[in-house]
mmCIF file of all heavy atoms in Angstrom:
data_model
loop_
_atom_site.group_PDB
_atom_site.id
_atom_site.type_symbol
_atom_site.label_atom_id
_atom_site.label_comp_id
_atom_site.label_asym_id
_atom_site.label_seq_id
_atom_site.Cartn_x
_atom_site.Cartn_y
_atom_site.Cartn_z
ATOM 1 N N ASP A 1 9.412 -9.939 3.778
ATOM 2 C CA ASP A 1 8.176 -9.177 4.012
ATOM 3 C C ASP A 1 7.508 -8.975 2.671
ATOM 4 O O ASP A 1 6.221 -8.926 2.619
ATOM 5 C CB ASP A 1 8.415 -7.823 4.681
ATOM 6 C CG ASP A 1 8.898 -7.997 6.196
ATOM 7 O OD1 ASP A 1 8.445 -8.944 6.788
ATOM 8 O OD2 ASP A 1 9.594 -7.152 6.712
ATOM 9 N N VAL A 2 8.326 -8.686 1.685
ATOM 10 C CA VAL A 2 7.802 -8.365 0.354
ATOM 11 C C VAL A 2 8.675 -9.167 -0.691
ATOM 12 O O VAL A 2 9.830 -9.154 -0.562
ATOM 13 C CB VAL A 2 7.740 -6.869 0.069
ATOM 14 C CG1 VAL A 2 7.371 -6.642 -1.361
ATOM 15 C CG2 VAL A 2 6.896 -6.184 0.967
ATOM 16 N N TYR A 3 7.983 -9.672 -1.691
ATOM 17 C CA TYR A 3 8.713 -10.279 -2.755
ATOM 18 C C TYR A 3 8.179 -9.780 -4.072
ATOM 19 O O TYR A 3 6.946 -9.913 -4.321
ATOM 20 C CB TYR A 3 8.607 -11.815 -2.690
ATOM 21 C CG TYR A 3 9.117 -12.622 -3.909
ATOM 22 C CD1 TYR A 3 10.527 -12.612 -4.083
ATOM 23 C CD2 TYR A 3 8.298 -13.120 -4.797
ATOM 24 C CE1 TYR A 3 11.017 -13.241 -5.252
ATOM 25 C CE2 TYR A 3 8.788 -13.768 -5.954
ATOM 26 C CZ TYR A 3 10.197 -13.846 -6.142
ATOM 27 O OH TYR A 3 10.690 -14.460 -7.222
ATOM 28 N N LEU A 4 8.955 -9.210 -4.833
ATOM 29 C CA LEU A 4 8.601 -8.595 -6.077
ATOM 30 C C LEU A 4 9.047 -9.601 -7.249
ATOM 31 O O LEU A 4 10.240 -9.786 -7.363
ATOM 32 C CB LEU A 4 9.219 -7.247 -6.483
ATOM 33 C CG LEU A 4 8.810 -6.218 -5.321
ATOM 34 C CD1 LEU A 4 9.626 -4.924 -5.499
ATOM 35 C CD2 LEU A 4 7.392 -5.956 -5.233
ATOM 36 N N SER A 5 8.096 -10.174 -7.967
ATOM 37 C CA SER A 5 8.389 -11.165 -8.974
ATOM 38 C C SER A 5 8.593 -10.562 -10.418
ATOM 39 O O SER A 5 9.090 -11.161 -11.253
ATOM 40 C CB SER A 5 7.307 -12.170 -9.099
ATOM 41 O OG SER A 5 6.033 -11.592 -9.395
ATOM 42 N N ARG A 6 8.239 -9.299 -10.582
ATOM 43 C CA ARG A 6 8.534 -8.596 -11.847
ATOM 44 C C ARG A 6 9.687 -7.641 -11.773
ATOM 45 O O ARG A 6 9.848 -7.019 -10.771
ATOM 46 C CB ARG A 6 7.254 -7.841 -12.203
ATOM 47 C CG ARG A 6 6.056 -8.781 -12.535
ATOM 48 C CD ARG A 6 4.867 -8.022 -12.972
ATOM 49 N NE ARG A 6 4.409 -7.162 -11.833
ATOM 50 C CZ ARG A 6 3.576 -6.087 -11.895
ATOM 51 N NH1 ARG A 6 3.121 -5.732 -13.069
ATOM 52 N NH2 ARG A 6 3.217 -5.421 -10.911
ATOM 53 N N PRO A 7 10.414 -7.591 -12.754
ATOM 54 C CA PRO A 7 11.649 -6.619 -12.766
ATOM 55 C C PRO A 7 11.138 -5.200 -12.956
ATOM 56 O O PRO A 7 9.990 -4.961 -13.415
ATOM 57 C CB PRO A 7 12.450 -7.117 -13.917
ATOM 58 C CG PRO A 7 11.464 -7.723 -14.950
ATOM 59 C CD PRO A 7 10.339 -8.365 -14.092
ATOM 60 N N GLY A 8 12.010 -4.286 -12.536
ATOM 61 C CA GLY A 8 11.681 -2.908 -12.695
ATOM 62 C C GLY A 8 11.148 -2.210 -11.471
ATOM 63 O O GLY A 8 11.072 -2.790 -10.441
ATOM 64 N N VAL A 9 10.857 -0.925 -11.759
ATOM 65 C CA VAL A 9 10.422 -0.077 -10.606
ATOM 66 C C VAL A 9 8.914 -0.068 -10.432
ATOM 67 O O VAL A 9 8.361 0.142 -9.314
ATOM 68 C CB VAL A 9 10.977 1.387 -10.800
ATOM 69 C CG1 VAL A 9 10.534 2.235 -9.609
ATOM 70 C CG2 VAL A 9 12.497 1.292 -10.938
ATOM 71 N N ALA A 10 8.220 -0.516 -11.499
ATOM 72 C CA ALA A 10 6.694 -0.422 -11.506
ATOM 73 C C ALA A 10 6.144 -1.208 -10.348
ATOM 74 O O ALA A 10 5.190 -0.763 -9.672
ATOM 75 C CB ALA A 10 6.124 -0.832 -12.818
ATOM 76 N N PRO A 11 6.649 -2.441 -10.079
ATOM 77 C CA PRO A 11 5.994 -3.217 -9.007
ATOM 78 C C PRO A 11 6.251 -2.533 -7.600
ATOM 79 O O PRO A 11 5.404 -2.620 -6.715
ATOM 80 C CB PRO A 11 6.705 -4.556 -8.958
ATOM 81 C CG PRO A 11 7.250 -4.690 -10.410
ATOM 82 C CD PRO A 11 7.525 -3.274 -10.881
ATOM 83 N N LEU A 12 7.337 -1.890 -7.473
ATOM 84 C CA LEU A 12 7.628 -1.132 -6.237
ATOM 85 C C LEU A 12 6.690 0.051 -6.051
ATOM 86 O O LEU A 12 6.163 0.301 -4.895
ATOM 87 C CB LEU A 12 9.078 -0.709 -6.149
ATOM 88 C CG LEU A 12 9.552 -0.077 -4.934
ATOM 89 C CD1 LEU A 12 9.470 -1.065 -3.723
ATOM 90 C CD2 LEU A 12 11.034 0.416 -5.035
ATOM 91 N N VAL A 13 6.386 0.718 -7.088
ATOM 92 C CA VAL A 13 5.505 1.901 -7.142
ATOM 93 C C VAL A 13 4.105 1.369 -6.756
ATOM 94 O O VAL A 13 3.425 1.991 -5.917
ATOM 95 C CB VAL A 13 5.516 2.602 -8.461
ATOM 96 C CG1 VAL A 13 4.422 3.681 -8.498
ATOM 97 C CG2 VAL A 13 6.874 3.221 -8.722
ATOM 98 N N GLU A 14 3.680 0.260 -7.316
ATOM 99 C CA GLU A 14 2.410 -0.294 -7.039
ATOM 100 C C GLU A 14 2.260 -0.763 -5.562
ATOM 101 O O GLU A 14 1.285 -0.530 -4.906
ATOM 102 C CB GLU A 14 2.123 -1.523 -7.931
ATOM 103 C CG GLU A 14 1.869 -1.206 -9.342
ATOM 104 C CD GLU A 14 1.721 -2.441 -10.258
ATOM 105 O OE1 GLU A 14 1.528 -3.523 -9.713
ATOM 106 O OE2 GLU A 14 1.935 -2.327 -11.490
ATOM 107 N N LEU A 15 3.393 -1.234 -5.047
ATOM 108 C CA LEU A 15 3.365 -1.693 -3.685
ATOM 109 C C LEU A 15 3.281 -0.463 -2.725
ATOM 110 O O LEU A 15 2.454 -0.482 -1.737
ATOM 111 C CB LEU A 15 4.767 -2.430 -3.372
ATOM 112 C CG LEU A 15 4.962 -2.941 -1.916
ATOM 113 C CD1 LEU A 15 3.967 -4.044 -1.624
ATOM 114 C CD2 LEU A 15 6.373 -3.380 -1.740
ATOM 115 N N VAL A 16 3.933 0.631 -3.082
ATOM 116 C CA VAL A 16 3.821 1.820 -2.218
ATOM 117 C C VAL A 16 2.436 2.397 -2.246
ATOM 118 O O VAL A 16 1.795 2.747 -1.144
ATOM 119 C CB VAL A 16 4.855 2.896 -2.630
ATOM 120 C CG1 VAL A 16 4.621 4.214 -2.067
ATOM 121 C CG2 VAL A 16 6.257 2.451 -2.368
ATOM 122 N N TRP A 17 1.827 2.412 -3.506
ATOM 123 C CA TRP A 17 0.446 2.873 -3.587
ATOM 124 C C TRP A 17 -0.567 2.038 -2.760
ATOM 125 O O TRP A 17 -1.490 2.557 -2.142
ATOM 126 C CB TRP A 17 0.033 2.987 -5.008
ATOM 127 C CG TRP A 17 0.527 4.293 -5.654
ATOM 128 C CD1 TRP A 17 1.458 4.306 -6.544
ATOM 129 C CD2 TRP A 17 0.104 5.643 -5.493
ATOM 130 N NE1 TRP A 17 1.712 5.732 -6.965
ATOM 131 C CE2 TRP A 17 0.929 6.464 -6.218
ATOM 132 C CE3 TRP A 17 -0.840 6.198 -4.554
ATOM 133 C CZ2 TRP A 17 0.739 7.843 -6.202
ATOM 134 C CZ3 TRP A 17 -0.964 7.614 -4.551
ATOM 135 C CH2 TRP A 17 -0.108 8.384 -5.395
ATOM 136 N N ALA A 18 -0.404 0.716 -2.819
ATOM 137 C CA ALA A 18 -1.233 -0.188 -2.143
ATOM 138 C C ALA A 18 -0.998 -0.059 -0.623
ATOM 139 O O ALA A 18 -2.009 -0.076 0.081
ATOM 140 C CB ALA A 18 -0.859 -1.660 -2.536
ATOM 141 N N ALA A 19 0.183 0.228 -0.215
ATOM 142 C CA ALA A 19 0.389 0.446 1.232
ATOM 143 C C ALA A 19 -0.233 1.651 1.721
ATOM 144 O O ALA A 19 -0.854 1.841 2.812
ATOM 145 C CB ALA A 19 1.888 0.486 1.512
ATOM 146 N N ARG A 20 -0.255 2.689 0.861
ATOM 147 C CA ARG A 20 -0.947 4.057 1.191
ATOM 148 C C ARG A 20 -2.526 3.872 1.253
ATOM 149 O O ARG A 20 -3.100 4.364 2.126
ATOM 150 C CB ARG A 20 -0.567 5.094 0.225
ATOM 151 C CG ARG A 20 0.771 5.567 0.338
ATOM 152 C CD ARG A 20 1.116 6.678 -0.605
ATOM 153 N NE ARG A 20 2.556 7.050 -0.491
ATOM 154 C CZ ARG A 20 3.189 7.885 -1.265
ATOM 155 N NH1 ARG A 20 2.624 8.341 -2.385
ATOM 156 N NH2 ARG A 20 4.386 8.220 -1.101
ATOM 157 N N ARG A 21 -3.055 3.008 0.235
ATOM 158 C CA ARG A 21 -4.456 2.732 0.365
ATOM 159 C C ARG A 21 -4.830 2.026 1.555
ATOM 160 O O ARG A 21 -5.824 2.231 2.233
ATOM 161 C CB ARG A 21 -4.885 1.947 -0.829
ATOM 162 C CG ARG A 21 -5.094 2.719 -2.103
ATOM 163 C CD ARG A 21 -5.754 1.906 -3.217
ATOM 164 N NE ARG A 21 -5.324 0.557 -3.383
ATOM 165 C CZ ARG A 21 -4.380 0.142 -4.328
ATOM 166 N NH1 ARG A 21 -3.903 1.087 -5.114
ATOM 167 N NH2 ARG A 21 -4.073 -1.051 -4.394
ATOM 168 N N THR A 22 -3.965 1.029 2.061
ATOM 169 C CA THR A 22 -4.221 0.279 3.154
ATOM 170 C C THR A 22 -4.180 1.204 4.489
ATOM 171 O O THR A 22 -5.092 1.086 5.334
ATOM 172 C CB THR A 22 -3.205 -0.806 3.347
ATOM 173 O OG1 THR A 22 -3.321 -1.681 2.174
ATOM 174 C CG2 THR A 22 -3.415 -1.690 4.625
ATOM 175 N N MET A 23 -3.241 2.028 4.536
ATOM 176 C CA MET A 23 -3.121 2.978 5.695
ATOM 177 C C MET A 23 -4.332 3.977 5.652
ATOM 178 O O MET A 23 -4.825 4.254 6.727
ATOM 179 C CB MET A 23 -1.847 3.755 5.701
ATOM 180 C CG MET A 23 -0.723 2.845 5.981
ATOM 181 S SD MET A 23 -0.810 2.021 7.578
ATOM 182 C CE MET A 23 -0.891 3.385 8.785
ATOM 183 N N ARG A 24 -4.792 4.400 4.536
ATOM 184 C CA ARG A 24 -5.927 5.236 4.420
ATOM 185 C C ARG A 24 -7.147 4.551 4.971
ATOM 186 O O ARG A 24 -7.950 5.062 5.702
ATOM 187 C CB ARG A 24 -6.183 5.727 2.973
ATOM 188 C CG ARG A 24 -7.127 6.871 2.923
ATOM 189 C CD ARG A 24 -7.288 7.321 1.442
ATOM 190 N NE ARG A 24 -6.058 7.361 0.659
ATOM 191 C CZ ARG A 24 -5.842 6.785 -0.504
ATOM 192 N NH1 ARG A 24 -6.809 6.066 -1.064
ATOM 193 N NH2 ARG A 24 -4.692 6.818 -1.078
ATOM 194 N N THR A 25 -7.299 3.196 4.574
ATOM 195 C CA THR A 25 -8.428 2.455 4.988
ATOM 196 C C THR A 25 -8.390 2.305 6.585
ATOM 197 O O THR A 25 -9.408 2.422 7.335
ATOM 198 C CB THR A 25 -8.476 1.070 4.384
ATOM 199 O OG1 THR A 25 -8.580 1.224 2.981
ATOM 200 C CG2 THR A 25 -9.602 0.237 4.796
ATOM 201 N N ILE A 26 -7.232 1.931 7.086
ATOM 202 C CA ILE A 26 -7.088 1.860 8.584
ATOM 203 C C ILE A 26 -7.450 3.103 9.276
ATOM 204 O O ILE A 26 -8.122 3.055 10.227
ATOM 205 C CB ILE A 26 -5.586 1.328 8.855
ATOM 206 C CG1 ILE A 26 -5.409 -0.027 8.391
ATOM 207 C CG2 ILE A 26 -5.387 1.450 10.335
ATOM 208 C CD1 ILE A 26 -3.970 -0.577 8.430
ATOM 209 N N ARG A 27 -6.849 4.149 8.805
ATOM 210 C CA ARG A 27 -7.153 5.468 9.493
ATOM 211 C C ARG A 27 -8.649 5.877 9.400
ATOM 212 O O ARG A 27 -9.191 6.281 10.380
ATOM 213 C CB ARG A 27 -6.329 6.525 8.849
ATOM 214 C CG ARG A 27 -4.799 6.539 9.267
ATOM 215 C CD ARG A 27 -4.024 7.635 8.785
ATOM 216 N NE ARG A 27 -2.610 7.428 8.933
ATOM 217 C CZ ARG A 27 -1.737 7.239 8.019
ATOM 218 N NH1 ARG A 27 -2.134 7.238 6.728
ATOM 219 N NH2 ARG A 27 -0.461 6.965 8.261
ATOM 220 N N GLY A 28 -9.276 5.672 8.215
ATOM 221 C CA GLY A 28 -10.656 5.928 8.058
ATOM 222 C C GLY A 28 -11.435 5.074 8.964
ATOM 223 O O GLY A 28 -12.489 5.557 9.632
ATOM 224 N N SER A 29 -11.179 3.737 9.030
ATOM 225 C CA SER A 29 -11.986 2.857 9.878
ATOM 226 C C SER A 29 -11.811 3.243 11.380
ATOM 227 O O SER A 29 -12.787 3.182 12.147
ATOM 228 C CB SER A 29 -11.435 1.418 9.751
ATOM 229 O OG SER A 29 -11.729 0.959 8.375
ATOM 230 N N LEU A 30 -10.625 3.582 11.810
ATOM 231 C CA LEU A 30 -10.325 3.905 13.175
ATOM 232 C C LEU A 30 -11.088 5.271 13.468
ATOM 233 O O LEU A 30 -11.816 5.403 14.495
ATOM 234 C CB LEU A 30 -8.870 4.229 13.398
ATOM 235 C CG LEU A 30 -8.468 4.548 14.826
ATOM 236 C CD1 LEU A 30 -8.823 3.503 15.785
ATOM 237 C CD2 LEU A 30 -6.976 4.931 14.839
ATOM 238 N N GLY A 31 -11.137 6.209 12.477
ATOM 239 C CA GLY A 31 -11.950 7.446 12.767
ATOM 240 C C GLY A 31 -13.378 7.256 12.807
ATOM 241 O O GLY A 31 -14.140 7.823 13.752
ATOM 242 N N VAL A 32 -13.955 6.359 12.013
ATOM 243 C CA VAL A 32 -15.414 6.192 11.914
ATOM 244 C C VAL A 32 -15.789 5.410 13.284
ATOM 245 O O VAL A 32 -16.796 5.725 13.942
ATOM 246 C CB VAL A 32 -15.705 5.338 10.704
ATOM 247 C CG1 VAL A 32 -17.185 4.640 10.885
ATOM 248 C CG2 VAL A 32 -15.628 6.114 9.500
ATOM 249 N N SER A 33 -14.965 4.427 13.655
ATOM 250 C CA SER A 33 -15.204 3.698 14.889
ATOM 251 C C SER A 33 -15.152 4.562 16.067
ATOM 252 O O SER A 33 -16.012 4.554 16.965
ATOM 253 C CB SER A 33 -14.251 2.543 15.054
ATOM 254 O OG SER A 33 -14.412 1.803 16.244
ATOM 255 N N LEU A 34 -14.130 5.466 16.213
ATOM 256 C CA LEU A 34 -13.925 6.268 17.352
ATOM 257 C C LEU A 34 -15.148 7.286 17.424
ATOM 258 O O LEU A 34 -15.726 7.395 18.501
ATOM 259 C CB LEU A 34 -12.724 7.043 17.190
ATOM 260 C CG LEU A 34 -12.351 8.020 18.355
ATOM 261 C CD1 LEU A 34 -12.130 7.158 19.593
ATOM 262 C CD2 LEU A 34 -11.145 8.888 17.991
#
């Protein structure tokens, strides 16, 4: 599902933040549409 090509924890933190942004966008779009 996910492949991190850089070592360390930083790519994982970036992945979590990106997932949160994506969920915020989904929820916002759903609210606006509703």
Side-chain angles (χ1 to χ4, degrees):
D1 289 332
V2 175
Y3 173 71
L4 302 175
S5 60
R6 295 181 293 163
V9 180
L12 186 60
V13 172
E14 290 175 17
L15 180 67
V16 170
W17 281 108
R20 287 181 181 169
R21 280 194 313 265
T22 301
M23 288 306 297
R24 192 177 322 125
T25 300
I26 290 170
R27 287 185 190 111
S29 295
L30 184 61
V32 166
S33 177
L34 183 64

